[in-house]
Short mmCIF file of all heavy atoms in Angstrom, two decimals:
data_model
loop_
_atom_site.label_atom_id
_atom_site.label_comp_id
_atom_site.label_asym_id
_atom_site.label_seq_id
_atom_site.Cartn_x
_atom_site.Cartn_y
_atom_site.Cartn_z
N ASN A 1 44.84 59.02 38.97
CA ASN A 1 43.63 59.74 39.39
C ASN A 1 43.71 61.18 38.89
O ASN A 1 44.12 62.09 39.62
CB ASN A 1 43.51 59.69 40.92
CG ASN A 1 42.19 60.28 41.39
OD1 ASN A 1 41.23 60.34 40.62
ND2 ASN A 1 42.15 60.71 42.64
N LEU A 2 43.34 61.35 37.62
CA LEU A 2 43.42 62.67 37.01
C LEU A 2 42.03 63.20 36.72
O LEU A 2 41.08 62.45 36.47
CB LEU A 2 44.22 62.61 35.70
CG LEU A 2 45.67 62.10 35.81
CD1 LEU A 2 46.26 62.02 34.42
CD2 LEU A 2 46.50 63.00 36.71
N THR A 3 41.95 64.50 36.71
CA THR A 3 40.67 65.13 36.35
C THR A 3 40.48 65.06 34.83
O THR A 3 41.41 64.77 34.08
CB THR A 3 40.64 66.60 36.79
OG1 THR A 3 41.64 67.32 36.05
CG2 THR A 3 40.92 66.73 38.27
N LYS A 4 39.30 65.36 34.38
CA LYS A 4 39.00 65.37 32.94
C LYS A 4 39.90 66.36 32.22
O LYS A 4 40.40 66.08 31.12
CB LYS A 4 37.53 65.74 32.73
CG LYS A 4 37.10 65.71 31.28
CD LYS A 4 35.62 66.05 31.15
CE LYS A 4 35.20 66.02 29.69
NZ LYS A 4 33.75 66.35 29.54
N GLU A 5 40.12 67.50 32.83
CA GLU A 5 40.98 68.53 32.24
C GLU A 5 42.42 68.06 32.15
O GLU A 5 43.12 68.33 31.16
CB GLU A 5 40.91 69.82 33.06
CG GLU A 5 39.60 70.56 32.99
CD GLU A 5 38.51 69.91 33.81
OE1 GLU A 5 38.84 69.02 34.66
OE2 GLU A 5 37.33 70.24 33.60
N GLU A 6 42.88 67.33 33.16
CA GLU A 6 44.26 66.82 33.16
C GLU A 6 44.44 65.75 32.09
O GLU A 6 45.48 65.69 31.43
CB GLU A 6 44.62 66.28 34.55
CG GLU A 6 44.80 67.37 35.60
CD GLU A 6 44.95 66.82 37.01
OE1 GLU A 6 44.41 65.73 37.28
OE2 GLU A 6 45.61 67.48 37.83
N TRP A 7 43.42 64.89 31.93
CA TRP A 7 43.48 63.88 30.87
C TRP A 7 43.54 64.53 29.49
O TRP A 7 44.26 64.09 28.60
CB TRP A 7 42.26 62.95 30.94
CG TRP A 7 42.40 61.83 31.92
CD1 TRP A 7 41.69 61.62 33.05
CD2 TRP A 7 43.36 60.75 31.85
NE1 TRP A 7 42.12 60.48 33.71
CE2 TRP A 7 43.14 59.94 32.99
CE3 TRP A 7 44.37 60.41 30.95
CZ2 TRP A 7 43.91 58.79 33.23
CZ3 TRP A 7 45.12 59.28 31.20
CH2 TRP A 7 44.89 58.47 32.33
N GLU A 8 42.77 65.60 29.33
CA GLU A 8 42.75 66.31 28.06
C GLU A 8 44.12 66.93 27.78
O GLU A 8 44.60 66.92 26.64
CB GLU A 8 41.68 67.39 28.08
CG GLU A 8 41.58 68.23 26.81
CD GLU A 8 41.22 67.43 25.58
OE1 GLU A 8 40.70 66.31 25.72
OE2 GLU A 8 41.46 67.94 24.46
N GLU A 9 44.76 67.45 28.81
CA GLU A 9 46.09 68.03 28.66
C GLU A 9 47.11 66.96 28.29
O GLU A 9 47.97 67.18 27.44
CB GLU A 9 46.50 68.71 29.97
CG GLU A 9 47.86 69.42 29.92
CD GLU A 9 47.90 70.55 28.89
OE1 GLU A 9 46.84 71.14 28.61
OE2 GLU A 9 49.01 70.82 28.38
N LYS A 10 46.99 65.78 28.91
CA LYS A 10 47.88 64.66 28.57
C LYS A 10 47.70 64.26 27.11
O LYS A 10 48.67 64.00 26.39
CB LYS A 10 47.59 63.46 29.48
CG LYS A 10 48.03 63.61 30.92
CD LYS A 10 49.54 63.49 31.02
CE LYS A 10 49.98 63.51 32.48
NZ LYS A 10 51.47 63.46 32.60
N ARG A 11 46.43 64.20 26.66
CA ARG A 11 46.15 63.83 25.28
C ARG A 11 46.78 64.82 24.31
O ARG A 11 47.38 64.44 23.30
CB ARG A 11 44.64 63.77 25.06
CG ARG A 11 44.23 63.27 23.67
CD ARG A 11 42.76 63.49 23.40
NE ARG A 11 42.45 64.91 23.32
CZ ARG A 11 42.69 65.66 22.24
NH1 ARG A 11 43.28 65.13 21.17
NH2 ARG A 11 42.38 66.93 22.23
N LYS A 12 46.67 66.10 24.62
CA LYS A 12 47.25 67.14 23.78
C LYS A 12 48.77 67.01 23.71
O LYS A 12 49.38 67.21 22.66
CB LYS A 12 46.86 68.52 24.29
CG LYS A 12 45.39 68.88 24.08
CD LYS A 12 45.09 70.27 24.59
CE LYS A 12 43.63 70.63 24.37
NZ LYS A 12 43.33 72.00 24.89
N GLN A 13 49.38 66.67 24.84
CA GLN A 13 50.83 66.51 24.88
C GLN A 13 51.28 65.35 23.98
O GLN A 13 52.27 65.46 23.25
CB GLN A 13 51.30 66.28 26.31
CG GLN A 13 51.17 67.50 27.21
CD GLN A 13 51.53 67.21 28.65
OE1 GLN A 13 51.89 66.08 29.00
NE2 GLN A 13 51.44 68.22 29.51
N VAL A 14 50.53 64.24 24.05
CA VAL A 14 50.85 63.08 23.22
C VAL A 14 50.69 63.42 21.74
O VAL A 14 51.53 63.06 20.91
CB VAL A 14 49.95 61.88 23.60
CG1 VAL A 14 50.12 60.75 22.58
CG2 VAL A 14 50.28 61.38 24.99
N GLU A 15 49.60 64.12 21.40
CA GLU A 15 49.36 64.52 20.01
C GLU A 15 50.44 65.46 19.51
O GLU A 15 50.87 65.38 18.35
CB GLU A 15 47.98 65.19 19.88
CG GLU A 15 46.80 64.25 20.08
CD GLU A 15 46.78 63.13 19.06
OE1 GLU A 15 47.09 63.39 17.89
OE2 GLU A 15 46.46 62.00 19.45
N ALA A 16 50.91 66.34 20.40
CA ALA A 16 51.97 67.28 20.02
C ALA A 16 53.27 66.54 19.73
O ALA A 16 53.99 66.86 18.77
CB ALA A 16 52.18 68.31 21.12
N ILE A 17 53.57 65.53 20.53
CA ILE A 17 54.78 64.73 20.33
C ILE A 17 54.69 63.98 19.00
O ILE A 17 55.66 63.92 18.23
CB ILE A 17 54.97 63.74 21.49
CG1 ILE A 17 55.31 64.51 22.78
CG2 ILE A 17 56.08 62.74 21.18
CD1 ILE A 17 55.35 63.65 24.03
N LYS A 18 53.52 63.42 18.72
CA LYS A 18 53.31 62.70 17.46
C LYS A 18 53.47 63.64 16.27
O LYS A 18 54.09 63.29 15.26
CB LYS A 18 51.92 62.06 17.43
CG LYS A 18 51.76 60.86 18.35
CD LYS A 18 50.36 60.28 18.20
CE LYS A 18 50.18 59.06 19.08
NZ LYS A 18 48.79 58.50 18.96
N ALA A 19 52.91 64.85 16.38
CA ALA A 19 52.99 65.83 15.29
C ALA A 19 54.43 66.25 15.05
O ALA A 19 54.87 66.40 13.90
CB ALA A 19 52.13 67.05 15.62
N GLU A 20 55.20 66.44 16.12
CA GLU A 20 56.61 66.81 15.99
C GLU A 20 57.41 65.71 15.30
O GLU A 20 58.26 65.98 14.45
CB GLU A 20 57.21 67.09 17.37
CG GLU A 20 56.72 68.39 18.00
CD GLU A 20 57.30 68.61 19.39
OE1 GLU A 20 58.12 67.76 19.82
OE2 GLU A 20 56.92 69.60 20.05
N GLU A 21 57.10 64.46 15.64
CA GLU A 21 57.80 63.33 15.03
C GLU A 21 57.45 63.22 13.54
O GLU A 21 58.32 62.97 12.70
CB GLU A 21 57.42 62.03 15.75
CG GLU A 21 58.07 60.77 15.19
CD GLU A 21 59.58 60.77 15.28
OE1 GLU A 21 60.15 61.62 16.00
OE2 GLU A 21 60.21 59.92 14.62
N GLN A 22 56.18 63.43 13.21
CA GLN A 22 55.77 63.40 11.80
C GLN A 22 56.44 64.52 11.01
O GLN A 22 56.87 64.31 9.87
CB GLN A 22 54.24 63.52 11.70
CG GLN A 22 53.50 62.29 12.17
CD GLN A 22 51.99 62.46 12.14
OE1 GLN A 22 51.48 63.57 11.96
NE2 GLN A 22 51.27 61.38 12.32
N GLU A 23 56.54 65.70 11.62
CA GLU A 23 57.18 66.83 10.96
C GLU A 23 58.67 66.56 10.76
O GLU A 23 59.23 66.89 9.71
CB GLU A 23 56.99 68.09 11.81
CG GLU A 23 57.61 69.36 11.22
CD GLU A 23 56.94 69.80 9.93
OE1 GLU A 23 55.83 69.32 9.62
OE2 GLU A 23 57.53 70.63 9.22
N ARG A 24 59.30 65.94 11.75
CA ARG A 24 60.72 65.61 11.63
C ARG A 24 60.95 64.62 10.48
O ARG A 24 61.87 64.79 9.67
CB ARG A 24 61.22 64.99 12.94
CG ARG A 24 62.72 64.70 12.97
CD ARG A 24 63.11 63.86 14.16
NE ARG A 24 62.54 62.53 14.07
CZ ARG A 24 63.03 61.56 13.29
NH1 ARG A 24 64.09 61.79 12.53
NH2 ARG A 24 62.47 60.37 13.28
N LYS A 25 60.10 63.60 10.40
CA LYS A 25 60.23 62.60 9.33
C LYS A 25 59.97 63.23 7.97
O LYS A 25 60.64 62.90 6.98
CB LYS A 25 59.26 61.45 9.57
CG LYS A 25 59.63 60.56 10.75
CD LYS A 25 58.63 59.42 10.91
CE LYS A 25 59.04 58.50 12.05
NZ LYS A 25 58.07 57.38 12.24
N PHE A 26 58.98 64.15 7.91
CA PHE A 26 58.68 64.81 6.64
C PHE A 26 59.86 65.66 6.17
O PHE A 26 60.24 65.61 5.00
CB PHE A 26 57.43 65.68 6.77
CG PHE A 26 57.10 66.45 5.52
CD1 PHE A 26 56.41 65.83 4.48
CD2 PHE A 26 57.49 67.77 5.36
CE1 PHE A 26 56.12 66.52 3.31
CE2 PHE A 26 57.20 68.47 4.20
CZ PHE A 26 56.50 67.84 3.17
N LYS A 27 60.46 66.43 7.08
CA LYS A 27 61.59 67.28 6.71
C LYS A 27 62.78 66.45 6.26
O LYS A 27 63.50 66.83 5.33
CB LYS A 27 61.98 68.17 7.90
CG LYS A 27 60.98 69.30 8.17
CD LYS A 27 61.44 70.18 9.31
CE LYS A 27 60.48 71.34 9.52
NZ LYS A 27 60.89 72.22 10.64
N ALA A 28 62.99 65.30 6.92
CA ALA A 28 64.09 64.42 6.53
C ALA A 28 63.85 63.87 5.12
O ALA A 28 64.76 63.82 4.29
CB ALA A 28 64.23 63.27 7.53
N ALA A 29 62.60 63.49 4.85
CA ALA A 29 62.26 62.98 3.51
C ALA A 29 62.37 64.08 2.47
O ALA A 29 62.79 63.83 1.33
CB ALA A 29 60.85 62.39 3.53
N LEU A 30 62.01 65.30 2.85
CA LEU A 30 62.10 66.44 1.94
C LEU A 30 63.56 66.73 1.58
O LEU A 30 63.89 67.01 0.43
CB LEU A 30 61.45 67.67 2.57
CG LEU A 30 61.29 68.92 1.69
CD1 LEU A 30 60.41 68.61 0.48
CD2 LEU A 30 60.69 70.07 2.50
N ASP A 31 64.44 66.64 2.57
CA ASP A 31 65.87 66.83 2.32
C ASP A 31 66.40 65.76 1.37
O ASP A 31 67.18 66.05 0.46
CB ASP A 31 66.66 66.78 3.64
CG ASP A 31 66.47 68.03 4.48
OD1 ASP A 31 66.04 69.05 3.93
OD2 ASP A 31 66.74 67.96 5.70
N ARG A 32 65.97 64.52 1.58
CA ARG A 32 66.44 63.42 0.73
C ARG A 32 65.93 63.56 -0.71
O ARG A 32 66.56 63.05 -1.64
CB ARG A 32 65.99 62.06 1.30
CG ARG A 32 66.70 61.65 2.58
CD ARG A 32 66.45 60.19 2.89
NE ARG A 32 65.04 59.91 3.12
CZ ARG A 32 64.43 60.00 4.28
NH1 ARG A 32 65.11 60.38 5.36
NH2 ARG A 32 63.15 59.71 4.40
N SER A 33 64.81 64.25 -0.89
CA SER A 33 64.23 64.40 -2.22
C SER A 33 65.06 65.31 -3.12
O SER A 33 64.94 65.27 -4.34
CB SER A 33 62.80 64.96 -2.12
OG SER A 33 62.81 66.35 -1.83
N HIS A 34 65.88 66.18 -2.50
CA HIS A 34 66.71 67.16 -3.23
C HIS A 34 65.87 68.18 -4.00
O HIS A 34 66.38 68.79 -4.96
CB HIS A 34 67.69 66.46 -4.17
CG HIS A 34 68.90 65.93 -3.46
ND1 HIS A 34 70.16 65.95 -3.99
CD2 HIS A 34 69.03 65.35 -2.24
CE1 HIS A 34 71.02 65.42 -3.14
NE2 HIS A 34 70.34 65.05 -2.07
N ILE A 35 64.62 68.38 -3.59
CA ILE A 35 63.85 69.47 -4.18
C ILE A 35 64.53 70.78 -3.80
O ILE A 35 64.82 71.00 -2.62
CB ILE A 35 62.40 69.46 -3.65
CG1 ILE A 35 61.67 68.19 -4.12
CG2 ILE A 35 61.63 70.70 -4.14
CD1 ILE A 35 60.27 68.04 -3.54
N PRO A 36 64.83 71.66 -4.76
CA PRO A 36 65.51 72.92 -4.44
C PRO A 36 64.74 73.73 -3.40
O PRO A 36 63.50 73.68 -3.35
CB PRO A 36 65.53 73.66 -5.79
CG PRO A 36 65.48 72.58 -6.81
CD PRO A 36 64.59 71.52 -6.22
N LEU A 37 65.48 74.46 -2.57
CA LEU A 37 64.89 75.19 -1.46
C LEU A 37 63.76 76.12 -1.91
O LEU A 37 62.72 76.21 -1.24
CB LEU A 37 65.98 76.01 -0.75
CG LEU A 37 65.56 76.72 0.55
CD1 LEU A 37 65.07 75.71 1.58
CD2 LEU A 37 66.74 77.52 1.11
N MET A 38 63.93 76.79 -3.04
CA MET A 38 62.92 77.74 -3.48
C MET A 38 61.62 77.08 -3.91
O MET A 38 60.60 77.75 -4.06
CB MET A 38 63.47 78.61 -4.62
CG MET A 38 63.64 77.92 -5.94
SD MET A 38 64.26 79.06 -7.22
CE MET A 38 62.91 80.22 -7.34
N TYR A 39 61.65 75.74 -4.08
CA TYR A 39 60.44 75.02 -4.48
C TYR A 39 59.93 74.07 -3.41
O TYR A 39 58.99 73.32 -3.64
CB TYR A 39 60.70 74.22 -5.76
CG TYR A 39 61.03 75.08 -6.96
CD1 TYR A 39 62.30 75.04 -7.53
CD2 TYR A 39 60.09 75.94 -7.51
CE1 TYR A 39 62.61 75.82 -8.64
CE2 TYR A 39 60.40 76.73 -8.61
CZ TYR A 39 61.66 76.66 -9.16
OH TYR A 39 61.96 77.45 -10.24
N GLN A 40 60.53 74.12 -2.23
CA GLN A 40 60.14 73.17 -1.19
C GLN A 40 58.75 73.42 -0.62
O GLN A 40 58.20 72.55 0.07
CB GLN A 40 61.19 73.13 -0.08
CG GLN A 40 62.46 72.42 -0.50
CD GLN A 40 63.43 72.21 0.63
OE1 GLN A 40 63.18 72.58 1.79
NE2 GLN A 40 64.57 71.61 0.33
N ASN A 41 58.20 74.59 -0.88
CA ASN A 41 56.82 74.88 -0.45
C ASN A 41 55.85 74.88 -1.62
O ASN A 41 54.70 75.34 -1.49
CB ASN A 41 56.75 76.22 0.29
CG ASN A 41 57.44 76.17 1.64
OD1 ASN A 41 57.33 75.19 2.37
ND2 ASN A 41 58.18 77.22 1.97
N ALA A 42 56.30 74.38 -2.78
CA ALA A 42 55.43 74.34 -3.96
C ALA A 42 54.17 73.56 -3.65
O ALA A 42 54.22 72.48 -3.06
CB ALA A 42 56.18 73.73 -5.13
N SER A 43 53.03 74.09 -4.06
CA SER A 43 51.75 73.47 -3.74
C SER A 43 50.92 73.24 -5.00
O SER A 43 50.88 74.09 -5.90
CB SER A 43 50.96 74.35 -2.76
OG SER A 43 49.64 73.88 -2.60
N LEU A 44 50.23 72.12 -5.04
CA LEU A 44 49.33 71.82 -6.16
C LEU A 44 48.19 72.82 -6.24
O LEU A 44 47.58 72.99 -7.30
CB LEU A 44 48.78 70.41 -6.02
CG LEU A 44 49.78 69.27 -6.24
CD1 LEU A 44 49.16 67.93 -5.86
CD2 LEU A 44 50.25 69.24 -7.69
#
């Protein structure tokens, strides 16, 4: 029995957890790629 605001806060928490997990996986993949540190932010 949560209010609309509480449900919205729960949704944000879940999204934040998902984003953290995606960032963790991306960093792990970036490390495995062996792209040199000075080029790890290289952008198209």
Side-chain angles (χ1 to χ4, degrees):
N1 187 22
L2 300 176
T3 65
K4 183 178 180 180
E5 290 75 14
E6 288 171 331
W7 277 115
E8 179 62 18
E9 183 62 28
K10 288 286 185 183
R11 185 192 67 78
K12 289 181 180 179
Q13 290 175 0
V14 171
E15 291 299 321
I17 292 172
K18 288 182 179 179
E20 288 178 4
E21 179 62 14
Q22 289 177 349
E23 181 66 15
R24 184 191 67 77
K25 289 181 178 179
F26 177 82
K27 287 182 177 179
L30 187 61
D31 287 342
R32 289 193 298 272
S33 76
H34 281 218
I35 295 175
L37 187 60
M38 71 179 296
Y39 297 113
Q40 287 188 1
N41 290 320
S43 171
L44 290 171

